[in-house]
Amino acid sequence: QVHLVESGGGLVQAGGSLRLSCAASGTIFNIATLEWYRQAPGRQREWVSLISPGGGATYYANSVKGRFTISSDNAKNTVYLQMDSLKPEDTATYYCAAGLERTTRADLVDYWGQGTQVTVSS
């Protein structure tokens, strides 16, 4: 089993920045992808970004491309999401995810973190 714990959420003004962290533990040697998703109240869970273990490949949703940066630290078993130029529409609960195969679909994710709240004021 894989356990994921997010941190770093908070309240920021539009145009500000936050850095989210996700610490992984457990049986992580076979993880193929590390991802971030977000979900606003009343909305579907949305894929945000993906990184391959080791950081060799990264992908972003069009809505965050150019503003968010995903990275990982293998020594710490941690994945990060640097969020810059935040907009009110970025307000959501952000979830770290790990998969046994590469995917951008929430229904195919194998492991989820508990979520961390990000609120962007206008």
PDB file of all heavy atoms in Angstrom, residues 14 17 27 39 42-44 59 71 87 89 97 102 105 112 116 121:
ATOM      1  N   ALA A  14      -5.081  36.769  -5.219  1.00  0.00           N
ATOM      2  CA  ALA A  14      -4.851  36.552  -6.640  1.00  0.00           C
ATOM      3  C   ALA A  14      -3.497  37.116  -7.049  1.00  0.00           C
ATOM      4  O   ALA A  14      -3.114  38.215  -6.642  1.00  0.00           O
ATOM      5  CB  ALA A  14      -5.966  37.188  -7.460  1.00  0.00           C
ATOM      6  N   SER A  17       1.435  33.079  -4.713  1.00  0.00           N
ATOM      7  CA  SER A  17       2.003  31.753  -4.936  1.00  0.00           C
ATOM      8  C   SER A  17       1.838  30.873  -3.717  1.00  0.00           C
ATOM      9  O   SER A  17       1.769  31.351  -2.579  1.00  0.00           O
ATOM     10  CB  SER A  17       3.500  31.860  -5.261  1.00  0.00           C
ATOM     11  OG  SER A  17       3.734  32.589  -6.447  1.00  0.00           O
ATOM     12  N   THR A  27       4.739   0.975   0.107  1.00  0.00           N
ATOM     13  CA  THR A  27       5.295   0.213  -1.008  1.00  0.00           C
ATOM     14  C   THR A  27       5.275   1.079  -2.258  1.00  0.00           C
ATOM     15  O   THR A  27       4.358   0.997  -3.083  1.00  0.00           O
ATOM     16  CB  THR A  27       4.505  -1.086  -1.207  1.00  0.00           C
ATOM     17  OG1 THR A  27       4.397  -1.785   0.035  1.00  0.00           O
ATOM     18  CG2 THR A  27       5.211  -1.987  -2.211  1.00  0.00           C
ATOM     19  N   GLN A  39     -10.305  19.605  -6.798  1.00  0.00           N
ATOM     20  CA  GLN A  39     -11.755  19.522  -6.844  1.00  0.00           C
ATOM     21  C   GLN A  39     -12.350  20.698  -6.092  1.00  0.00           C
ATOM     22  O   GLN A  39     -12.105  20.874  -4.899  1.00  0.00           O
ATOM     23  CB  GLN A  39     -12.250  18.213  -6.242  1.00  0.00           C
ATOM     24  CG  GLN A  39     -13.738  17.979  -6.419  1.00  0.00           C
ATOM     25  CD  GLN A  39     -14.131  16.555  -6.108  1.00  0.00           C
ATOM     26  OE1 GLN A  39     -13.459  15.861  -5.354  1.00  0.00           O
ATOM     27  NE2 GLN A  39     -15.222  16.107  -6.697  1.00  0.00           N
ATOM     28  N   GLY A  42     -18.914  21.173  -5.695  1.00  0.00           N
ATOM     29  CA  GLY A  42     -19.895  20.997  -6.740  1.00  0.00           C
ATOM     30  C   GLY A  42     -19.336  20.677  -8.109  1.00  0.00           C
ATOM     31  O   GLY A  42     -20.104  20.607  -9.074  1.00  0.00           O
ATOM     32  N   ARG A  43     -18.040  20.485  -8.208  1.00  0.00           N
ATOM     33  CA  ARG A  43     -17.414  20.206  -9.492  1.00  0.00           C
ATOM     34  C   ARG A  43     -16.707  18.860  -9.471  1.00  0.00           C
ATOM     35  O   ARG A  43     -16.411  18.313  -8.418  1.00  0.00           O
ATOM     36  CB  ARG A  43     -16.417  21.306  -9.858  1.00  0.00           C
ATOM     37  CG  ARG A  43     -17.061  22.676 -10.020  1.00  0.00           C
ATOM     38  CD  ARG A  43     -16.064  23.692 -10.517  1.00  0.00           C
ATOM     39  NE  ARG A  43     -16.672  25.005 -10.661  1.00  0.00           N
ATOM     40  CZ  ARG A  43     -17.317  25.405 -11.745  1.00  0.00           C
ATOM     41  NH1 ARG A  43     -17.454  24.597 -12.789  1.00  0.00           N
ATOM     42  NH2 ARG A  43     -17.837  26.624 -11.780  1.00  0.00           N
ATOM     43  N   GLN A  44     -16.439  18.338 -10.660  1.00  0.00           N
ATOM     44  CA  GLN A  44     -15.731  17.075 -10.784  1.00  0.00           C
ATOM     45  C   GLN A  44     -14.264  17.253 -10.419  1.00  0.00           C
ATOM     46  O   GLN A  44     -13.704  18.341 -10.534  1.00  0.00           O
ATOM     47  CB  GLN A  44     -15.851  16.532 -12.206  1.00  0.00           C
ATOM     48  CG  GLN A  44     -17.258  16.139 -12.619  1.00  0.00           C
ATOM     49  CD  GLN A  44     -17.298  15.578 -14.023  1.00  0.00           C
ATOM     50  OE1 GLN A  44     -16.442  15.880 -14.853  1.00  0.00           O
ATOM     51  NE2 GLN A  44     -18.292  14.754 -14.294  1.00  0.00           N
ATOM     52  N   TYR A  59       3.717  16.872 -17.243  1.00  0.00           N
ATOM     53  CA  TYR A  59       2.566  17.239 -18.049  1.00  0.00           C
ATOM     54  C   TYR A  59       1.643  18.112 -17.216  1.00  0.00           C
ATOM     55  O   TYR A  59       1.556  17.958 -15.995  1.00  0.00           O
ATOM     56  CB  TYR A  59       1.818  15.994 -18.530  1.00  0.00           C
ATOM     57  CG  TYR A  59       2.681  15.031 -19.305  1.00  0.00           C
ATOM     58  CD1 TYR A  59       3.398  14.034 -18.657  1.00  0.00           C
ATOM     59  CD2 TYR A  59       2.787  15.125 -20.691  1.00  0.00           C
ATOM     60  CE1 TYR A  59       4.201  13.157 -19.360  1.00  0.00           C
ATOM     61  CE2 TYR A  59       3.583  14.249 -21.405  1.00  0.00           C
ATOM     62  CZ  TYR A  59       4.287  13.268 -20.741  1.00  0.00           C
ATOM     63  OH  TYR A  59       5.079  12.393 -21.449  1.00  0.00           O
ATOM     64  N   SER A  71       7.351  18.965  -9.477  1.00  0.00           N
ATOM     65  CA  SER A  71       8.704  18.459  -9.314  1.00  0.00           C
ATOM     66  C   SER A  71       8.698  17.375  -8.253  1.00  0.00           C
ATOM     67  O   SER A  71       7.702  17.191  -7.543  1.00  0.00           O
ATOM     68  CB  SER A  71       9.682  19.577  -8.943  1.00  0.00           C
ATOM     69  OG  SER A  71       9.334  20.166  -7.706  1.00  0.00           O
ATOM     70  N   LYS A  87      -5.108  32.303  -9.458  1.00  0.00           N
ATOM     71  CA  LYS A  87      -6.363  32.944  -9.800  1.00  0.00           C
ATOM     72  C   LYS A  87      -7.462  32.437  -8.880  1.00  0.00           C
ATOM     73  O   LYS A  87      -7.373  31.323  -8.362  1.00  0.00           O
ATOM     74  CB  LYS A  87      -6.741  32.642 -11.253  1.00  0.00           C
ATOM     75  CG  LYS A  87      -5.689  33.003 -12.282  1.00  0.00           C
ATOM     76  CD  LYS A  87      -6.107  32.538 -13.667  1.00  0.00           C
ATOM     77  CE  LYS A  87      -5.064  32.868 -14.703  1.00  0.00           C
ATOM     78  NZ  LYS A  87      -5.470  32.389 -16.051  1.00  0.00           N
ATOM     79  N   GLU A  89     -10.171  31.130  -9.629  1.00  0.00           N
ATOM     80  CA  GLU A  89     -10.675  29.867 -10.141  1.00  0.00           C
ATOM     81  C   GLU A  89      -9.774  28.678  -9.816  1.00  0.00           C
ATOM     82  O   GLU A  89     -10.147  27.530 -10.067  1.00  0.00           O
ATOM     83  CB  GLU A  89     -10.915  29.941 -11.658  1.00  0.00           C
ATOM     84  CG  GLU A  89      -9.735  30.480 -12.442  1.00  0.00           C
ATOM     85  CD  GLU A  89      -9.867  31.959 -12.758  1.00  0.00           C
ATOM     86  OE1 GLU A  89     -10.223  32.736 -11.846  1.00  0.00           O
ATOM     87  OE2 GLU A  89      -9.614  32.335 -13.922  1.00  0.00           O
ATOM     88  N   ALA A  97      -1.767  12.197  -5.894  1.00  0.00           N
ATOM     89  CA  ALA A  97      -2.175  10.874  -6.341  1.00  0.00           C
ATOM     90  C   ALA A  97      -0.977  10.100  -6.867  1.00  0.00           C
ATOM     91  O   ALA A  97      -0.026  10.686  -7.394  1.00  0.00           O
ATOM     92  CB  ALA A  97      -3.242  10.977  -7.429  1.00  0.00           C
ATOM     93  N   ARG A 102       0.683   5.117 -15.911  1.00  0.00           N
ATOM     94  CA  ARG A 102       0.496   6.522 -16.229  1.00  0.00           C
ATOM     95  C   ARG A 102      -0.942   6.793 -16.647  1.00  0.00           C
ATOM     96  O   ARG A 102      -1.522   6.070 -17.468  1.00  0.00           O
ATOM     97  CB  ARG A 102       1.457   6.941 -17.343  1.00  0.00           C
ATOM     98  CG  ARG A 102       1.399   8.415 -17.682  1.00  0.00           C
ATOM     99  CD  ARG A 102       2.453   8.778 -18.718  1.00  0.00           C
ATOM    100  NE  ARG A 102       3.800   8.616 -18.191  1.00  0.00           N
ATOM    101  CZ  ARG A 102       4.900   8.913 -18.872  1.00  0.00           C
ATOM    102  NH1 ARG A 102       4.816   9.390 -20.111  1.00  0.00           N
ATOM    103  NH2 ARG A 102       6.096   8.714 -18.318  1.00  0.00           N
ATOM    104  N   ARG A 105      -6.612  10.276 -15.618  1.00  0.00           N
ATOM    105  CA  ARG A 105      -8.001  10.055 -15.258  1.00  0.00           C
ATOM    106  C   ARG A 105      -8.110   9.715 -13.784  1.00  0.00           C
ATOM    107  O   ARG A 105      -7.477   8.781 -13.300  1.00  0.00           O
ATOM    108  CB  ARG A 105      -8.595   8.925 -16.105  1.00  0.00           C
ATOM    109  CG  ARG A 105      -8.787   9.286 -17.557  1.00  0.00           C
ATOM    110  CD  ARG A 105      -9.237   8.091 -18.367  1.00  0.00           C
ATOM    111  NE  ARG A 105     -10.385   7.421 -17.773  1.00  0.00           N
ATOM    112  CZ  ARG A 105     -11.021   6.402 -18.335  1.00  0.00           C
ATOM    113  NH1 ARG A 105     -10.616   5.942 -19.518  1.00  0.00           N
ATOM    114  NH2 ARG A 105     -12.051   5.849 -17.717  1.00  0.00           N
ATOM    115  N   TRP A 112      -4.636   7.890  -3.200  1.00  0.00           N
ATOM    116  CA  TRP A 112      -4.956   9.305  -3.007  1.00  0.00           C
ATOM    117  C   TRP A 112      -4.460   9.802  -1.661  1.00  0.00           C
ATOM    118  O   TRP A 112      -4.476   9.069  -0.669  1.00  0.00           O
ATOM    119  CB  TRP A 112      -6.463   9.534  -3.052  1.00  0.00           C
ATOM    120  CG  TRP A 112      -7.100   9.326  -4.385  1.00  0.00           C
ATOM    121  CD1 TRP A 112      -7.780   8.229  -4.804  1.00  0.00           C
ATOM    122  CD2 TRP A 112      -7.132  10.257  -5.472  1.00  0.00           C
ATOM    123  NE1 TRP A 112      -8.241   8.411  -6.081  1.00  0.00           N
ATOM    124  CE2 TRP A 112      -7.857   9.650  -6.512  1.00  0.00           C
ATOM    125  CE3 TRP A 112      -6.627  11.546  -5.656  1.00  0.00           C
ATOM    126  CZ2 TRP A 112      -8.082  10.284  -7.737  1.00  0.00           C
ATOM    127  CZ3 TRP A 112      -6.850  12.175  -6.869  1.00  0.00           C
ATOM    128  CH2 TRP A 112      -7.570  11.550  -7.889  1.00  0.00           C
ATOM    129  N   THR A 116      -5.472  19.002   0.452  1.00  0.00           N
ATOM    130  CA  THR A 116      -5.126  20.236   1.144  1.00  0.00           C
ATOM    131  C   THR A 116      -5.850  21.384   0.460  1.00  0.00           C
ATOM    132  O   THR A 116      -5.905  21.461  -0.768  1.00  0.00           O
ATOM    133  CB  THR A 116      -3.600  20.455   1.168  1.00  0.00           C
ATOM    134  OG1 THR A 116      -3.281  21.598   1.962  1.00  0.00           O
ATOM    135  CG2 THR A 116      -3.026  20.631  -0.236  1.00  0.00           C
ATOM    136  N   SER A 121      -8.159  34.499  -3.080  1.00  0.00           N
ATOM    137  CA  SER A 121      -9.095  35.604  -2.996  1.00  0.00           C
ATOM    138  C   SER A 121      -8.859  36.588  -4.133  1.00  0.00           C
ATOM    139  O   SER A 121      -7.733  36.762  -4.609  1.00  0.00           O
ATOM    140  CB  SER A 121      -8.967  36.317  -1.652  1.00  0.00           C
ATOM    141  OG  SER A 121      -7.673  36.878  -1.489  1.00  0.00           O
TER     142      SER A 121
END
